[in-house]
Amino acid sequence: MDAGLDMRTTGTKSDDSILSILRLIVQGIVSIAKSHWVTLVNFWRPTVCERYPHKDKSLDYKPGPGYKGDFALITDKEKGRLRCIACQSCERACPNHCIRVVPAGKGKDRYPAEFYIDVGLCMNCEICVEVCPVDALTMTPDYECSVHDPRDLIRNIKQLTERGMEFDEVSRVR
Amino acid sequence: METRSDLRTEELLINMGPQHPSTHGVLRLVLTIDGERVVQAVPHIGYLHSSMEKIAEAKTYRQYMPFADRYDYLNAMGNELAYVRAVEKLCGIEVTPRCEYIRVIMAEMNRIASHLVYFGTLGLDTGSWSPFLYCFREREAIIQLFEDTSGQRLLYHYFRIGGLRNDLPSHFCDKLAEFLDYFPARINEYNDLLTNNIIFQRRMQGIGYLSPELCRRYSVTGPNIRGAGIPYDIRRVVGYSVYPELEFDIPTRPEGDAYARHLVRVEEMRQSVRILKQCLEKLPEGEINVKVPRRLKPVVGEVYERVESPRGELACYLISDGSEKPWRLHWRAPSFYNLQVLPELLKGAYVADTVAILGSIDIVLPDVDR
Amino acid sequence: MDSSLIFTIGNALRTWLEGLCRAHGVPTLVVDILAWGTGAVLVVVLGLLVALFVIWLERKVAGYIQTRLGPTRVGPVGIFQTAMDALKILQKEDIIPRGADYWLHLAGPVLYFTALVLGFAVIPWDVKATLAATVDLNVGLIYVIGVTSVGVLGVVMSGWGSNNKWSLLGAMRAAAQIISYDVPLLLALICVVMVAGTLSLTRIVELQGSAGILGWYVFKPYLWLPFIIFVICGTAEVNRTPFDIPEAESELVAGFHTEYSGMKFALFFLTEFDHMWFVGLLGATLFLGGWYSPLGAADPIPGFVWLMIKSFIFVLVLQWFRWTLPRLRVDQLMGLAWKFLIPAGFVALAIVCVAVLFI
Amino acid sequence: MQDQHTSDEESKQGGSGGEPLPAAIAAALGSRITEGAVVDGVVHITVPATEVIEALRILAFEMDEPYSHLSDLCGVDRPDCIEVVYHLFRPLSNDACVVRVKLPRTNPHVPTATVLWETANWAEREAAEMYGITFEGHPDPRRLLLPDDISGYPLRKDWEYPQDHPYLRREPLHEEFPEIVGRVRAEAAPAEDERDGNSK
């Protein structure tokens, strides 16, 4: 092991000879001086903190693609409608039962009349995104989703569609 | 002399926790103290009981995956590893070599992150504030890599049965290599700050003595047993995943006191760096996922899969009845068993040592209560 | 000799008032009382303001040592943060735990604060500090030690009166600690007294400063050991890391002030930081030449400024200690005092004896 | 892999699940073993409740290569019985021995293993409150994790979730959520039928 680990000369048993006491004092002073050197060095190192809502250090931090942030429903721009076919796979797959889909229409025209996600209950596991057969649901790098009333954490189809307008495909790690 | 024995001073019964700054969560210790000495310590747990084992009975094997992260939040990747290995063993799934390597990379990174938290909080327990912030600064680099990879900072849900959520992001290897380059120097720095500091040494040496016999009686595992001189490490003993292909030492210390456990953990961080460097070198190309049926129905049977978590022997005991949901899932949580030995370690210690000893056995309360 | 403007004005004011009294046949005692009163209020206000500044400084220093930012929001670089905190804390509800001894609980912080403020009375702020804030006591040093040691009674009272076991433990620790560390501190101070040959703080400063920087006691090799002992014991007297075992937040939650809130807590808090500054002032007075500039007498900067600079060097060093070192354990703390510092104090005393005799 | 269901047991015992027991264990425990097999290199044995401490003692201390590391102790609710499972390992090796005790569902009793390992203390307390197993001679038979006023044994399959327990009540918001959804769903009733048809 390294030298640092072997610096165990100051045993727990008390050794009362003058020499050992002097050695202990010297060792103590050296080790304490070293500690102070470390804090002094770090005093001059750049700070890691950011004044978060003030974006003065890193402007508009966005997590990388594939971040499990707030949800969005992707709109198929060619057809001009949501990709979601209201098959309710996500509802069944969700471990916390925080998704409720209300389907409407029949056969090929099935679409979600309502799509609720209780983000407060969600644990961001992304299983719903994975089970989606048509890649209609995605998690976005949106992380600033705090609200004042916990009821507002229940996302409805309007919010989800709106956020999904920025996305053409499911957000994945690159 | 007789009068001395007639003099009876009263012992003080004192409640440490569940709201106390340094019980690492919501542990409650009922201490009987005589002056500053602890006569008896009785831990009370259960404040964070989250019925992880009951939840498993109502979820499918895939749905339970994110819960595996959640009880030992400092070692989420390691927990996922234990669970995913148990399920794959039960289903007879072999994963690709690249996947195995990435899993080991994640587990080892998480080990470093966990030990950094340990290092920092032990500093807090002994009254030194700065190491905590420094350790979190270093941990941030790891957490950032996790975030880029799995999309989350603490509870990743990155492993999947039969593979992983996604491949590593393109910048991952470079960033990790960069971190591995500067990190060992930082460990030395923090050793200068805390480990080698004479006040810290004198406080940690000779307290919380854990003998090999005590370890056997209490099934203490992880860095705690290695601090007592026994090279018991599941990575070596079982040799799961790709660990047999990697070179690393099992650091042990013969003293068995709190300081020895501390040194073992510091050295383990270095060994993890070593493992990570080898993994980056050997990381094979290729697929990360194998084909797994959509409806996962393992055969009837049971597995007891052990992995080495930063806190010790973590095991997932999984019994399948052939349906989509586990019949019984039991976590052998290392903190649960490591915490049990605490009353033995506290006998005769000072009140100040209580927090230092508690810090040195490195428990995570959700891991204790599950 | 430079004398700052304030003191000149003060003196002029006083002369004018005395003249006024004589003219109207009022006893000059009224002027004295007025002057003392003004001075006392000034010192307390100054102490509180400096305490707020020291708290801000502490948070800033801690922030930068820990690669954080510290307070940034209120005012430029967060300078008014602690003032706002003080305002906030004054609005807080004053909680007295059930079963607490009301009067002890109340008297604890008051005594703690008063004991410290009394200590400021003898600090020589500047040459000819004839505003009666500074009393040139001929037993100044004894007075300082005697008065500030009473503060521990406040700690014990609040610990006992809180009806909380953690507080009680903290109070017992504080009592043991302060009594132990008073002994080596006294030994270190006796060394200074022997060299100076006087107990008056003003006189001690005058003896040091007249010869410029080299006359300061900290530059006399035979006073190095007492200086080190003074710094260590001073840290212990103000209950700061590594000697903060009476409050030891990771062990005793908050020690003797666990059960305090609102104004009373603010008193504890301010006193603690004021105490730190007080140790700085005492150290500057005894070892760093007090109000004297390093250049000697011929320096236009007021002595008061120099005293502040010197005392804040001490404060910064104490803060550096705090954010670097882990806390000692109770037995180690006692061991350090009785096994190392007191013998070291006697050795220092012997060295100084020899030095005084032969140099 | 044995004793999953009563019906499976006889077929499993015949050896479809694994190889016969190693001679050392068979010799040491003798007639104490009621069932035993080796599956994937793991020794599985079942012993009666009265013999379990003696069997564990022999396994842990009296064999040439003892299984002295009690890795885990937990309860399992089988369809026909309550089981206590002891996971033993040889120190510094991966040789495992799984010891089981089968207990009746009503009033299960088993002697405590704390005489051999203090490890068993908390593990048995947990198993006791989760499965209602009485560990005879346990030094500290209090509840460990659960609140004192909870009824029943939560990890038994027939346990019912106590909706009215103050700790276990669902948060109001989460009660509200299905309500909102239910209202919207009622408005779109035709689609509801459609979905039911699809899922079947």
Side-chain angles (χ1 to χ4, degrees):
Chain A
M1 292 192 203
D2 74 320
L5 289 188
D6 285 330
M7 230 190 94
R8 202 182 178 276
T9 34
T10 55
T12 48
K13 291 184 190 84
S14 58
D15 183 359
D16 287 342
S17 75
I18 292 285
L19 207 67
S20 72
I21 288 174
L22 282 179
R23 202 167 61 212
L24 178 72
I25 291 173
V26 170
Q27 224 171 39
I29 291 170
V30 168
S31 78
I32 285 172
K34 270 184 168 179
S35 300
H36 282 89
W37 175 248
V38 174
T39 40
L40 193 66
V41 165
N42 278 290
F43 187 88
W44 303 109
R45 284 213 178 120
T47 55
V48 291
C49 282
E50 290 173 31
R51 302 167 65 207
Y52 163 60
H54 302 269
K55 287 161 180 160
D56 48 14
K57 203 167 169 190
S58 58
L59 292 161
D60 264 342
Y61 171 75
K62 273 280 176 202
Y67 183 80
K68 293 177 193 157
D70 211 342
F71 291 90
L73 281 171
I74 300 174
T75 309
D76 193 336
K77 301 240 164 72
E78 284 169 23
K79 292 181 186 163
R81 48 173 280 192
L82 284 179
R83 275 190 191 175
C84 179
I85 53 168
C87 68
Q88 289 172 308
S89 304
C90 44
E91 188 177 326
R92 280 191 294 275
C94 179
N96 284 351
H97 311 295
C98 64
I99 305 180
R100 293 282 190 287
V101 188
V102 181
K106 283 185 196 270
K108 276 200 162 180
D109 295 328
R110 251 173 90 99
Y111 66 95
E114 257 305 358
F115 198 114
Y116 290 111
I117 299 181
D118 185 348
V119 184
L121 197 56
C122 171
M123 58 176 179
N124 296 38
C125 65
E126 221 188 12
I127 288 177
C128 48
V129 177
E130 277 166 22
V131 297
C132 184
V134 288
D135 289 345
L137 185 65
T138 181
M139 296 182 92
T140 66
D142 250 344
Y143 59 94
E144 287 169 318
C145 43
S146 57
V147 290
H148 287 103
D149 183 357
R151 282 176 193 80
D152 296 343
L153 283 171
I154 301 179
R155 302 270 182 267
N156 58 27
I157 194 162
K158 196 160 153 270
Q159 292 165 323
L160 293 169
T161 314
E162 216 165 85
R163 190 178 277 115
M165 294 312 259
E166 297 167 28
F167 293 87
D168 294 331
E169 273 312 319
V170 172
S171 154
R172 288 191 205 286
V173 172
R174 285 192 292 274
Chain B
M1 213 46 212
E2 268 180 29
T3 48
R4 177 68 61 84
S5 65
D6 287 343
L7 257 176
R8 204 180 67 85
T9 52
E10 211 167 309
E11 282 166 352
L12 194 64
L13 195 72
I14 193 163
N15 237 326
M16 193 181 223
Q19 292 106 346
H20 186 276
S22 51
T23 47
H24 293 232
V26 284
L27 173 67
R28 175 172 160 225
L29 285 169
V30 178
L31 302 175
T32 312
I33 56 173
D34 179 13
E36 284 270 347
R37 291 251 179 205
V38 176
V39 179
Q40 197 194 7
V42 182
H44 290 257
I45 60 170
Y47 294 93
L48 270 176
H49 181 54
S50 47
S51 40
M52 281 295 165
E53 293 170 6
K54 190 71 185 170
I55 288 173
E57 293 176 6
K59 307 280 173 220
T60 64
Y61 287 94
R62 279 211 181 83
Q63 281 180 337
Y64 189 71
M65 267 303 291
F67 289 95
D69 289 328
R70 278 174 162 69
Y71 72 93
D72 183 354
Y73 50 81
L74 291 182
N75 182 36
M77 290 283 189
N79 297 344
E80 286 182 21
L81 186 65
Y83 178 71
V84 91
R85 285 187 63 79
V87 177
E88 280 165 3
K89 204 167 165 189
L90 208 55
C91 302
I93 300 168
E94 282 272 330
V95 294
T96 62
R98 183 174 173 84
C99 171
E100 286 281 19
Y101 268 97
I102 294 176
R103 282 182 181 179
V104 167
I105 288 174
M106 292 301 163
E108 290 302 319
M109 278 166 73
N110 216 325
R111 188 184 313 279
I112 294 179
S114 171
H115 281 340
L116 280 173
V117 174
Y118 152 80
F119 194 103
T121 47
L122 187 67
L124 285 187
D125 289 346
T126 50
S128 183
W129 280 73
S130 299
F132 183 71
L133 277 296
Y134 298 158
C135 287
F136 268 62
R137 177 179 61 191
E138 307 315 328
R139 181 170 173 267
E140 182 61 27
I142 297 176
I143 298 292
Q144 189 63 45
L145 281 175
F146 281 153
E147 183 191 317
D148 292 348
T149 312
S150 72
Q152 289 271 287
R153 291 172 59 84
L154 198 64
L155 306 163
Y156 312 108
H157 191 218
Y158 177 58
F159 296 0
R160 297 288 188 275
I161 293 156
L164 302 164
R165 173 181 180 245
N166 48 259
D167 208 333
L168 297 174
S170 47
H171 63 273
F172 183 90
C173 292
D174 297 338
K175 283 268 171 150
L176 182 56
E178 193 186 306
F179 171 76
L180 296 179
D181 280 342
Y182 74 73
F183 183 60
R186 290 286 170 89
I187 299 181
N188 289 337
E189 200 174 287
Y190 305 146
N191 277 346
D192 276 345
L193 177 57
L194 191 67
T195 314
N196 297 339
N197 187 305
I198 191 151
I199 300 174
F200 181 77
Q201 277 185 357
R202 303 288 283 190
R203 277 205 60 179
M204 299 299 282
Q205 283 167 355
I207 61 166
Y209 176 64
L210 196 57
S211 67
E213 172 61 15
L214 212 57
C215 290
R216 187 201 63 73
R217 271 168 48 207
Y218 281 92
S219 298
V220 174
T221 50
N224 301 328
I225 194 170
R226 294 196 281 279
I230 302 171
Y232 183 67
D233 189 320
I234 307 291
R235 290 177 292 178
R236 186 57 57 77
V237 166
V238 179
Y240 61 94
S241 199
V242 291
Y243 282 111
E245 298 165 28
L246 303 169
E247 272 181 32
F248 59 97
D249 297 332
I250 312 271
T252 58
R253 299 290 296 181
E255 296 91 355
D257 57 9
Y259 193 59
R261 296 195 280 277
H262 178 75
L263 293 182
V264 164
R265 288 198 179 89
V266 171
E267 183 59 23
E268 255 177 40
M269 284 198 268
R270 290 213 176 84
Q271 293 302 329
S272 289
V273 169
R274 210 172 136 196
I275 292 173
L276 284 170
K277 279 187 174 154
Q278 293 173 51
C279 283
L280 283 183
E281 257 170 42
K282 292 183 176 175
L283 185 65
E285 292 298 323
E287 282 295 303
I288 49 161
N289 284 316
V290 295
K291 217 161 164 46
V292 179
R294 262 178 68 99
R295 304 197 122 201
L296 201 63
K297 282 191 176 179
V299 291
V300 177
E302 61 177 61
V303 287
Y304 187 77
E305 184 64 28
R306 302 192 290 168
V307 301
E308 179 75 17
S309 108
R311 272 156 279 286
E313 179 181 334
L314 170 69
C316 179
Y317 182 44
L318 199 54
I319 302 177
S320 154
D321 64 342
S323 72
E324 274 189 83
K325 296 172 180 174
W327 176 259
R328 166 88 165 110
L329 181 140
H330 178 73
W331 288 103
R332 190 258 185 229
S335 305
F336 181 71
Y337 291 106
N338 290 351
L339 180 62
Q340 234 189 116
V341 79
L342 188 67
E344 295 272 349
L345 302 186
L346 289 186
K347 265 174 208 157
Y350 286 99
V351 176
D353 290 340
T354 310
V355 288
I357 293 171
L358 184 63
S360 80
I361 60 172
D362 187 21
I363 53 158
V364 166
L365 255 294
D367 191 28
V368 174
D369 294 343
R370 285 157 296 139
Chain C
M1 284 283 172
D2 64 281
S3 170
S4 71
L5 195 63
I6 290 179
F7 296 123
T8 324
I9 295 171
N11 286 339
L13 254 174
R14 189 179 173 147
T15 325
W16 174 70
L17 269 173
E18 275 176 4
L20 211 64
C21 288
R22 266 193 220 102
H24 291 83
V26 182
T28 45
L29 187 68
V30 175
V31 180
D32 282 343
I33 288 172
L34 249 168
W36 287 333
T38 322
V41 169
L42 269 181
V43 163
V44 172
V45 169
L46 179 73
L48 289 177
L49 285 180
V50 169
L52 289 181
F53 178 71
V54 171
I55 295 170
W56 171 82
L57 190 71
E58 169 103 46
R59 291 168 71 175
K60 227 41 190 170
V61 165
Y64 278 98
I65 280 182
Q66 298 172 346
T67 66
R68 296 186 285 116
L69 288 171
T72 57
R73 298 290 165 105
V74 190
V77 291
I79 187 94
F80 298 128
Q81 182 71 49
T82 43
M84 298 309 286
D85 286 348
L87 280 183
K88 179 199 76 179
I89 217 165
L90 292 188
Q91 301 170 24
K92 294 260 171 183
E93 184 190 354
D94 179 28
I95 299 165
I96 297 162
R98 191 182 302 142
D101 187 325
Y102 179 83
W103 290 108
L104 285 187
H105 191 257
L106 176 71
V110 174
L111 185 60
Y112 191 50
F113 180 71
T114 317
L116 177 69
V117 168
L118 286 177
F120 279 107
V122 290
I123 296 289
W125 300 101
D126 200 338
V127 63
K128 304 255 168 44
T130 39
L131 261 188
T134 300
V135 185
D136 185 9
L137 276 184
N138 56 359
V139 287
L141 209 49
I142 301 273
Y143 168 82
V144 166
I145 296 297
V147 156
T148 50
S149 296
V150 174
V152 72
L153 269 181
V155 171
V156 175
M157 278 157 79
S158 56
W160 176 259
S162 292
N163 190 28
N164 180 320
K165 291 168 183 173
W166 295 115
S167 302
L168 182 62
L169 273 179
M172 300 317 286
R173 282 180 176 194
Q177 173 179 344
I178 291 181
I179 289 167
S180 304
Y181 276 81
D182 264 350
V183 181
L185 182 66
L186 266 174
L187 287 173
L189 297 185
I190 288 171
C191 294
V192 176
V193 172
M194 281 171 67
V195 174
T198 173
L199 282 164
S200 153
L201 289 175
T202 317
R203 185 81 193 117
I204 290 175
V205 175
E206 278 171 1
L207 282 169
Q208 289 179 70
S210 45
I213 188 166
L214 290 175
W216 296 1
Y217 284 161
V218 73
F219 294 113
K220 299 220 185 302
Y222 49 87
L223 280 174
W224 285 350
L225 193 52
F227 179 66
I228 291 167
I229 295 172
F230 173 80
V231 172
I232 295 174
C233 294
T235 319
E237 288 280 318
V238 286
N239 301 338
R240 286 177 66 81
T241 318
F243 306 107
D244 65 340
I245 60 157
E247 32 194 275
E249 86 291 322
S250 63
E251 297 152 22
L252 302 186
V253 191
F256 57 86
H257 58 68
T258 306
E259 295 290 355
Y260 282 89
S261 61
M263 280 278 281
K264 292 179 193 162
F265 174 74
L267 266 187
F268 271 123
F269 202 66
L270 290 173
T271 310
E272 204 181 306
F273 283 88
D274 241 3
H275 203 163
M276 188 159 80
W277 181 50
F278 181 73
V279 167
L281 283 175
L282 201 61
T285 308
L286 294 178
F287 291 98
L288 295 185
W291 68 78
Y292 280 100
S293 115
L295 304 173
D299 190 60
I301 299 169
F304 179 70
V305 175
W306 280 114
L307 187 66
M308 289 301 268
I309 291 173
K310 288 169 184 173
S311 63
F312 271 92
I313 289 172
F314 270 91
V315 168
L316 282 173
V317 168
L318 291 193
Q319 287 174 351
W320 192 12
F321 284 166
R322 167 152 182 196
W323 300 107
T324 304
L325 295 174
R327 182 184 309 122
L328 288 159
R329 203 166 56 202
V330 189
D331 59 325
Q332 290 166 343
L333 186 92
M334 294 295 147
L336 182 67
W338 295 99
K339 288 184 193 158
F340 287 91
L341 291 178
I342 292 180
F346 282 117
V347 169
L349 206 57
I351 293 171
V352 171
C353 281
V354 174
V356 169
L357 277 178
F358 296 105
I359 297 175
Chain D
M1 277 179 225
Q2 57 187 29
D3 48 65
Q4 289 307 313
H5 298 284
T6 338
S7 53
D8 290 347
E9 262 170 34
E10 278 113 49
S11 63
K12 288 271 164 67
Q13 239 177 317
S16 68
E19 309 112 48
L21 286 178
I25 291 179
L29 293 180
S31 62
R32 289 194 180 90
I33 305 176
T34 53
E35 292 163 30
V38 180
V39 185
D40 293 341
V42 178
V43 181
H44 291 258
I45 55 176
T46 307
V47 293
T50 46
E51 303 276 0
V52 62
I53 297 307
E54 187 59 18
L56 288 172
R57 201 180 56 75
I58 293 169
L59 280 171
F61 300 112
E62 293 191 355
M63 291 180 50
D64 290 337
E65 287 178 305
Y67 293 92
S68 60
H69 174 55
L70 175 65
S71 175
D72 199 8
L73 186 160
C74 68
V76 180
D77 183 9
R78 299 288 187 185
D80 57 329
C81 61
I82 299 283
E83 238 178 40
V84 180
V85 186
Y86 303 81
H87 286 278
L88 303 182
F89 284 89
R90 290 208 173 111
L92 303 185
S93 96
N94 198 23
D95 299 340
C97 177
V98 182
V99 179
R100 291 154 200 286
V101 184
K102 293 189 171 182
L103 305 169
R105 287 187 80 82
T106 49
N107 199 12
H109 273 71
V110 69
T112 174
T114 46
V115 291
L116 303 173
W117 293 276
E118 273 93 335
T119 318
N121 190 325
W122 282 10
E124 283 182 355
R125 277 169 70 182
E126 191 188 347
E129 65 179 345
M130 295 295 182
Y131 287 97
I133 305 166
T134 310
F135 288 91
E136 288 159 9
H138 193 283
D140 187 16
R142 290 174 299 140
R143 279 182 182 274
L144 184 68
L145 298 172
L146 297 177
D148 289 336
D149 55 347
I150 203 159
S151 59
Y153 304 111
L155 275 178
R156 285 199 185 189
K157 293 281 175 181
D158 52 7
W159 181 71
E160 293 205 350
Y161 192 85
Q163 298 285 357
D164 51 345
H165 192 279
Y167 295 177
L168 301 175
R169 217 164 31 214
R170 294 180 63 115
E171 286 168 37
L173 176 67
H174 300 157
E175 295 286 3
E176 212 168 275
F177 181 48
E179 258 172 45
I180 301 173
V181 174
R183 203 177 56 237
V184 178
R185 231 178 227 170
E187 287 163 13
E192 180 96 359
D193 300 338
E194 171 92 356
R195 183 203 57 139
D196 287 347
N198 275 5
S199 63
K200 276 163 201 164

